[in-house]
Amino acid sequence: MIELVFYISIGFILYAAFNALSFAALNRRNSDKLWFAALAICVGFYQYFTLQYFVSPDIEGSVLALRFQNLFLQICIPLFCAYTAACCQQTRYPRMPYVVVLLLLALMPFNFIMPFGLRYETLEGLRTFTIWGKEVSVLKGNISPISYIQYVICFAVLVWVSLQFKHLIKHSRATTYIACVASLLLVALVSAILIESGHLDFFYLSGFACILLMIQASISQAAERRSNNRKLGITSLKLDQELRRSSAHKTRSNQLVQVVEQSPNAIVICENGGTVTSMNQAGIDFWGGRLDQSNINLLNELAVTYGGFNLRPHAISAMGHLTLPPIKSNKLPNTINQYLPSNITLEFDIYTTVDLNNEIDLIVIYSRDVTEEYFSQQAFEHLARSVSYSSDSSFFDGLVSHLSALVGASAAFVGKITSNKQQIETVSLMVNGKITRNVTYDLNGTPSLKVITDRECHFAQGIQAAFPEDATLRELNIESYVGVPLFDKESEIIGILTILDIKPIVETPHLIHILNILAARASAEIQRQTAETRMNRMAYEDHLTGLPNRARANEHLASLLKTIRSTPQTATLLNANIDHFKMINDELGHSTGDQIINAISIKMRELFPPSVFISRYGGDELLFISMNTSQTAVELAHEVLRAFHQPISIGEHVVDVSATIGIVQLSQHTQSSLAAIRQSELALYHAKDNVRGSFYEYEDSLESEAKNNLIIQTLLKQAITNNELEVHYQPQVNANGKLFGAEALVRWPNSPQGPISPAVFVPIAEQSGLIHKLGDWVFERCIEQLTVWHNNNQFDGHLSINVSAWQFALPGFVERTTERIKRSNLPISYFCIELTETGLLSDIGDTVNKLKQLRTFGLKIALDDFGTGYSSLAYLQQLPLDILKIDKLFVDELETNATSSLASTMISMSHQMKLDVVAEGVETAQQVDALEALKCDIYQGYHFAKPMPAVEFIEWTHRYTTPLNQPDSSRSK
């Protein structure tokens, strides 16, 4: 069995050697194939003597076989290095193979000089063992030191081979394969040492490891043969295609010769140097003779005339073709001019052709008579300059100037038909070479009317006799007239274009054509300017009032600030906002609101001079900008307020309006228009917070306040998210000293800025929109606390929860509120919704509807701050309420007037409406006595208890037993 394995391996190795030799014979450049063949032959001999070594029956035969096996091993090692270098092409440590050869040549004599060969220094005999059922024997003895040197050389070679293929492994599967073979050879080397030292009973593996290399090489050579065959097939196919292309090229060449000969264009063919070699019949007719018989170098002649053009054949070929500008025949050299008619204009097109080697072989020159085209082109270029001006009045000035110069006319103009259709208004008028002032004249009795009615008018002469009523014709001594109409896109006549002259004008189709082209351009420009004017009005004018809008105001303000920075001037900016305009819209309708805005705008334009810039900056916001140094900002503000306070009659309604104004003084220090607007808005908001219908002048502290408000807004948002706020509870007690209920009040005691009052952060929440998140947070905390009290039986009454007007106005407020209460599973009697008077009266219809739904659900409704709004008594009876809360303002009056008529009226009216009355802000016993005398029902204030956290509130309810007019020791402000 073992002999069969070895002989099969030897046969395959020799086959691989023969295959490599045959491949190398076909391609002499494949040196790696030759090295591989030599290596394979040596490996084959190595395998053969390895087999003889194992099967030899005696020591002498084994020693001899081992000597030859070692000899071929020493030959294989440098061949393996050479093959590796050929495969890698660029080797690392290139001197390594030479060192290996020298070392192995030095070792070879020892293989035959030493008595037992290079491997063993002394022998003890044969060591016999069985492999695959076959008894084999190997020498047994001491390994010689020289043998170890040879093993080191082999190991170094394998390491060197691995280094060569390391950088190629990722690029080639074959190199990866060879590197694996090197690794297997390293394993075989180790096994050989073990076999010779007597530690391993097996045969040498080096030859079998090389078989893997032979397999890879055979596969690679087979693939390379297939690749070469495929390339050879492709090359053959390309040659066949080239032959067919050449044949087709010859056929096309013959066809092109016929096309050139029969072409109506004048074609001159030159050799690549420029000398004329042939012409078609059209070329002979054009030139009046045969240039090809006069040895004329046409390309050189043209190069002399067109000195600024590169007429070298390669330059023309790079461009594809070259078209030379038109030229008069008398400017050409006499050598070719003599063939041409006199005073014509020519144009040349030059092309190049290439042969099969892509080399320039011919130059083809087309010649054309462009006399008429050139004349027309010059005319249109002259006219084009007339319409190249910018799109404004200079456009029409350029048009009439160049038109007049082109035809040599005394006068020309462009005119628009006025809106009454009875007159012409010139937009540009040129007389005797000068642009003059535009005029407006009547159409009747003028040739312009004929242009409009007949859509053209041409009088070569005698125009004054035809229109004797036209005084202008007589004044300018006009003899001839040509006019064409200007049409818009609907084919309606919008104006005329006219030329006039003191001498006859000969009408030609060319002249009328030019006039029509210019008329179309003039018409387009008139329409463009009209559309631009309309768009500017749309972009910069308020559609309702006709006043400048926000964009125009910003531009005007920016321009004014630029002027102020360059000159020592100041200006005043007033930002006027109509008070309660939303309520006017809601009560009277948006149409009436628009009429009020329009009436105010008309009034302002009548009252103030044009020097005061007035703009509708927003829906209910007007800007006033003035540079009048004789009038102060305050005086102007008073004047504006007086104008607003005048009643306005709109149909059946007489409306009293007022406005609140923010004032800003514009100076060199004003940063920008947007900064000025912002400052005016800050002043406006401050004025509104104080007294509506007044004004306030901007000061730097407002900016600081706004920045601080922004900081508080940011901190408040974080506080809501992080549950940093607290809910405190202030008791409400009745006349019998019994707890009636409590009001939930939000507090912010631990902000980064320290405690912040609700009077500060609640308005900021309302302005920024955070009021919705804040209101939801308070409602949820109240539900949580009521749940605790309910489970511990600690609370008997209702809890008033404040709802902002912004929350109440949201669609779905009723549904969200009732759903929250349902989910809490708490008695509905615990809940009281508390709203402010101004929040309820913004939309009375929607308010009544929502309140009815809430009361139907079972909620109590409390009206807070009663008496601080307007029209309160008129609306009170419409509102479905349960509790009326008298504002602290009226309670404080009881200190000086115990029988305040206002407080008395409110309490009496509430009792008649069967409402509970809660007096807010009760702080003294004197106030308690006065309220009790007025039969007030419920009391709330610091006289009884301050707002307290939940734990303190419950403690307070347990110890509250004192009479109303004697505060408990725990009650303090």
Side-chain angles (χ1 to χ4, degrees):
M1 180 66 179
I2 189 171
E3 291 97 333
L4 179 61
V5 171
F6 268 87
Y7 283 126
I8 291 175
S9 67
I10 293 168
F12 181 80
I13 292 170
L14 294 178
Y15 167 76
F18 173 78
N19 193 36
L21 285 173
S22 62
F23 195 93
L26 294 175
N27 190 345
R28 296 181 180 179
R29 290 178 295 179
N30 289 339
S31 60
D32 58 324
K33 304 298 187 299
L34 292 174
W35 289 115
F36 177 79
L39 175 62
I41 292 171
C42 287
V43 171
F45 280 106
Y46 172 86
Q47 280 289 84
Y48 174 76
F49 285 109
T50 298
L51 176 62
Q52 297 304 315
Y53 172 63
F54 278 114
V55 299
S56 176
D58 52 38
I59 293 177
E60 290 77 6
S62 296
V63 170
L64 181 62
L66 190 59
R67 289 182 193 275
F68 282 101
Q69 183 223 42
N70 195 73
L71 172 65
F72 283 104
L73 174 63
Q74 292 173 336
I75 297 173
C76 284
I77 291 172
L79 288 177
F80 192 36
C81 291
Y83 174 62
T84 300
C87 288
C88 295
Q89 296 181 355
Q90 295 182 352
T91 60
R92 304 176 68 182
Y93 313 109
R95 296 180 181 178
M96 181 68 178
Y98 303 105
V99 174
V100 170
V101 170
L102 292 175
L103 291 174
L104 292 176
L105 286 175
L107 295 180
M108 279 185 182
F110 291 99
N111 191 37
F112 292 96
I113 293 173
M114 295 177 66
F116 306 111
L118 186 146
R119 301 283 184 88
Y120 291 96
E121 186 175 14
T122 60
L123 286 179
E124 299 176 5
L126 291 175
R127 180 166 56 88
T128 304
F129 54 88
T130 302
I131 300 177
W132 298 341
K134 172 70 175 179
E135 186 177 273
V136 298
S137 61
V138 295
L139 295 173
K140 180 180 179 182
N142 295 323
I143 300 175
S144 70
I146 297 176
S147 179
Y148 285 114
I149 294 174
Q150 181 171 281
Y151 285 138
V152 171
I153 294 173
C154 291
F155 178 78
V157 168
L158 291 177
V159 171
W160 178 81
V161 169
S162 299
L163 289 175
Q164 306 316 304
F165 289 105
K166 178 181 178 182
H167 71 286
L168 295 177
I169 286 176
K170 62 181 179 181
H171 301 295
S172 170
R173 294 181 181 177
T175 54
T176 304
Y177 195 89
I178 295 173
C180 293
V181 171
S183 301
L184 291 176
L185 287 173
L186 184 60
V187 174
L189 178 63
V190 174
S191 66
I193 296 173
L194 295 175
I195 293 170
E196 292 175 2
S197 63
H199 293 89
L200 179 65
D201 293 337
F202 206 67
F203 53 78
Y204 293 108
L205 298 174
S206 301
F208 294 99
C210 289
I211 290 177
L212 297 178
L213 180 64
M214 310 302 164
I215 293 173
Q216 181 275 328
S218 299
I219 294 173
S220 176
Q221 291 165 12
E224 192 170 350
R225 276 199 182 92
R226 287 195 298 272
S227 176
N228 290 340
N229 291 337
R230 184 169 60 254
K231 290 179 181 178
L232 182 61
I234 292 172
T235 303
S236 300
L237 180 61
K238 287 182 177 178
L239 288 174
D240 183 62
Q241 291 175 345
E242 183 64 23
L243 289 174
R244 294 183 182 182
R245 189 184 67 81
S246 177
S247 175
H249 179 74
K250 290 181 180 179
T251 303
R252 285 197 300 273
S253 297
N254 293 332
Q255 293 171 345
L256 289 175
V257 169
Q258 298 179 27
V259 170
V260 169
E261 188 62 32
Q262 298 174 9
S263 172
N265 298 316
I267 300 176
V268 177
I269 299 176
C270 310
E271 47 86 24
N272 58 12
T275 302
V276 178
T277 58
S278 62
M279 305 171 66
N280 66 351
Q281 187 59 46
I284 296 172
D285 297 339
F286 178 84
W287 287 93
R290 299 191 65 93
L291 301 181
D292 54 340
Q293 296 178 356
S294 302
N295 196 28
I296 292 175
N297 192 315
L298 183 57
L299 194 63
N300 286 345
E301 299 293 345
L302 293 177
V304 172
T305 306
Y306 294 94
F309 289 84
N310 187 352
L311 298 186
R312 290 196 298 270
H314 287 287
I316 298 171
S317 177
M319 291 184 288
H321 80 286
L322 175 63
T323 299
L324 297 175
I327 190 171
K328 293 289 187 179
S329 59
N330 56 11
K331 293 185 178 180
L332 292 172
N334 290 331
T335 52
I336 56 176
N337 182 30
Q338 60 181 326
Y339 293 95
L340 296 170
S342 61
N343 200 29
I344 66 170
T345 303
L346 296 88
E347 185 178 76
F348 298 96
D349 284 322
I350 307 177
Y351 297 81
T352 60
T353 64
V354 295
D355 56 20
L356 292 176
N357 296 322
N358 207 31
E359 298 290 338
I360 297 174
D361 59 349
L362 296 175
I363 299 172
V364 182
I365 301 176
Y366 286 82
S367 310
R368 292 193 299 122
D369 183 353
V370 293
T371 303
E372 294 183 4
E373 297 175 21
Y374 182 70
F375 175 77
S376 298
Q377 179 183 353
Q378 289 298 301
F380 283 113
E381 286 180 359
H382 189 67
L383 294 177
R385 291 194 291 273
S386 69
V387 297
S388 63
Y389 289 84
S390 60
S391 299
D392 51 25
S393 60
S394 63
F395 166 84
F396 296 105
D397 294 344
L399 186 147
V400 297
S401 297
H402 285 280
L403 175 60
S404 177
L406 181 65
V407 300
S410 302
F413 69 86
V414 176
K416 294 191 298 182
I417 301 176
T418 58
S419 57
N420 61 11
K421 307 293 184 182
Q422 301 298 316
Q423 293 177 312
I424 290 289
E425 176 187 1
T426 64
V427 294
S428 183
L429 172 62
M430 196 225 62
V431 179
N432 296 326
K434 296 181 180 179
I435 299 296
T436 63
R437 181 176 55 86
N438 285 310
V439 298
T440 300
Y441 65 89
D442 293 332
L443 282 169
N444 288 333
T446 67
S448 299
L449 181 61
K450 183 174 177 59
V451 175
I452 295 171
T453 56
D454 297 350
R455 303 211 164 189
E456 70 174 34
C457 179
H458 177 223
F459 283 83
Q461 57 187 5
I463 187 67
Q464 294 185 38
F467 297 93
E469 299 177 4
D470 193 332
T472 303
L473 297 177
R474 292 194 304 273
E475 291 174 5
L476 297 177
N477 196 26
I478 299 300
E479 176 66 19
S480 55
Y481 178 104
V482 178
V484 293
L486 309 181
F487 297 96
D488 63 11
K489 60 183 180 181
E490 283 82 24
S491 299
E492 295 292 331
I493 297 177
I494 59 173
I496 61 174
L497 172 63
T498 300
I499 54 175
L500 310 93
D501 202 357
I502 59 176
K503 62 182 183 299
I505 297 177
V506 179
E507 179 183 7
T508 64
H510 184 64
L511 174 62
I512 299 300
H513 182 59
I514 291 176
L515 284 176
N516 285 330
I517 291 175
L518 292 179
R521 183 65 183 90
S523 172
E525 181 61 20
I526 289 175
Q527 293 179 82
R528 189 200 66 78
Q529 291 186 7
T530 303
E532 183 177 345
T533 302
R534 187 182 302 112
M535 285 190 293
N536 282 338
R537 291 183 60 185
M538 294 173 63
Y540 293 107
E541 187 177 286
D542 178 58
H543 70 283
L544 177 63
T545 63
L547 291 174
N549 62 7
R550 178 187 293 263
R552 180 69 186 92
N554 287 335
E555 285 191 3
H556 176 79
L557 191 54
S559 176
L560 180 61
L561 289 174
K562 187 176 180 181
T563 302
I564 290 174
R565 292 190 188 102
S566 60
T567 58
Q569 298 182 9
T570 60
T572 300
L573 168 63
L574 269 61
N575 191 334
N577 186 266
I578 302 173
D579 296 328
H580 307 295
F581 190 69
K582 182 179 184 303
M583 186 172 292
I584 293 174
N585 274 332
D586 292 340
E587 293 179 3
L588 303 180
H590 287 275
S591 176
T592 301
D594 288 346
Q595 294 180 59
I596 292 173
I597 288 289
N598 198 33
I600 292 173
S601 301
I602 294 172
K603 184 194 302 182
M604 296 301 171
R605 280 184 291 200
E606 291 174 349
L607 292 176
F608 293 96
S611 59
V612 178
F613 179 88
I614 307 174
S615 165
R616 188 187 181 196
Y617 201 73
D620 55 355
E621 189 175 356
L622 296 182
L623 292 188
F624 297 82
I625 304 174
S626 174
M627 291 188 68
N628 186 359
T629 56
S630 63
Q631 186 181 38
T632 66
V634 172
E635 290 172 347
L636 179 60
H638 279 299
E639 192 174 349
V640 171
L641 288 179
R642 284 194 297 271
F644 270 106
H645 289 167
Q646 297 175 14
I648 298 174
S649 297
I650 304 294
E652 302 175 353
H653 306 285
V654 177
V655 183
D656 291 321
V657 296
S658 64
T660 305
I661 298 175
I663 303 174
V664 174
Q665 293 287 357
L666 304 176
S667 67
Q668 293 178 338
H669 303 293
T670 305
Q671 294 180 353
S672 65
S673 59
L674 295 179
I677 295 294
R678 170 175 168 75
Q679 291 171 358
S680 71
E681 289 175 341
L682 290 176
L684 173 64
Y685 298 150
H686 188 82
K688 281 188 173 185
D689 289 341
N690 292 332
V691 180
R692 289 181 181 262
S694 64
F695 59 82
Y696 192 85
E697 188 169 350
Y698 172 80
E699 52 191 24
D700 292 339
S701 61
L702 296 180
E703 189 72 36
S704 301
E705 181 181 340
K707 290 180 179 178
N708 186 56
N709 288 348
L710 182 59
I711 294 172
I712 292 175
Q713 176 186 330
T714 303
L715 294 175
L716 179 59
K717 186 176 182 180
Q718 296 173 356
I720 295 172
T721 303
N722 299 331
N723 287 319
E724 296 172 2
L725 303 175
E726 296 178 5
V727 177
H728 288 192
Y729 304 89
Q730 187 172 30
Q732 298 170 342
V733 297
N734 60 20
N736 299 322
K738 182 181 178 183
L739 182 68
F740 175 75
E743 181 179 1
L745 299 166
V746 65
R747 294 291 183 265
W748 192 3
N750 301 314
S751 79
Q753 296 184 351
I756 299 179
S757 169
V760 174
F761 70 80
V762 169
I764 293 174
E766 290 182 333
Q767 293 170 10
S768 64
L770 280 175
I771 192 64
H772 302 291
K773 290 183 67 174
L774 178 60
D776 290 343
W777 185 89
V778 171
F779 211 108
E780 292 299 329
R781 300 293 84 74
C782 289
I783 289 176
E784 291 174 4
Q785 191 57 58
L786 285 171
T787 302
V788 173
W789 290 342
H790 177 73
N791 293 338
N792 296 327
N793 197 23
Q794 293 177 313
F795 183 70
D796 183 18
H798 69 264
L799 182 62
S800 291
I801 303 173
N802 288 282
V803 173
S804 164
W806 301 100
Q807 295 175 266
F808 188 76
L810 281 178
F813 168 77
V814 173
E815 291 76 11
R816 285 194 299 275
T817 301
T818 55
E819 182 61 30
R820 279 178 176 163
I821 296 173
K822 288 178 183 177
R823 287 201 307 266
S824 72
N825 294 320
L826 292 171
I828 299 177
S829 60
Y830 278 174
F831 295 91
C832 177
I833 301 298
E834 190 167 312
L835 299 138
T836 62
E837 177 185 357
T838 53
L840 290 175
L841 298 180
S842 61
D843 186 346
I844 192 65
D846 183 59
T847 296
V848 172
N849 182 45
K850 287 181 177 178
L851 292 181
K852 286 182 177 179
Q853 294 182 56
L854 292 172
R855 289 195 74 201
T856 302
F857 180 71
L859 291 175
K860 291 180 181 179
I861 307 297
L863 181 62
D864 195 12
D865 299 336
F866 179 66
T868 60
Y870 62 95
S871 303
S872 301
L873 298 178
Y875 285 107
L876 187 60
Q877 291 183 341
Q878 300 182 41
L879 303 176
L881 303 173
D882 298 285
I883 300 171
L884 193 68
K885 298 186 75 172
I886 300 177
D887 189 76
K888 184 179 184 300
L889 176 68
F890 303 106
V891 174
D892 289 343
E893 289 183 359
L894 297 175
E895 291 279 354
T896 57
N897 183 8
T899 59
S900 170
S901 59
L902 282 175
S904 176
T905 301
M906 293 177 190
I907 295 171
S908 175
M909 182 181 63
S910 300
H911 287 161
Q912 291 178 7
M913 297 177 63
K914 298 185 175 109
L915 301 177
D916 291 321
V917 180
V918 177
E920 287 187 296
V922 180
E923 298 181 349
T924 67
Q926 184 179 352
Q927 292 173 343
V928 173
D929 293 338
L931 289 168
E932 196 170 10
L934 294 176
K935 298 183 179 179
C936 180
D937 302 313
I938 319 296
Y939 308 88
Q940 177 181 345
Y942 274 51
H943 179 72
F944 304 99
K946 64 180 180 181
M948 298 169 285
V951 174
E952 294 181 21
F953 173 78
I954 294 302
E955 292 175 354
W956 181 91
T957 59
H958 290 160
R959 68 173 179 267
Y960 178 67
T961 56
T962 58
L964 292 181
N965 57 1
Q966 296 181 11
D968 185 79
S969 60
S970 65
R971 303 171 191 155
S972 62
K973 292 186 181 180

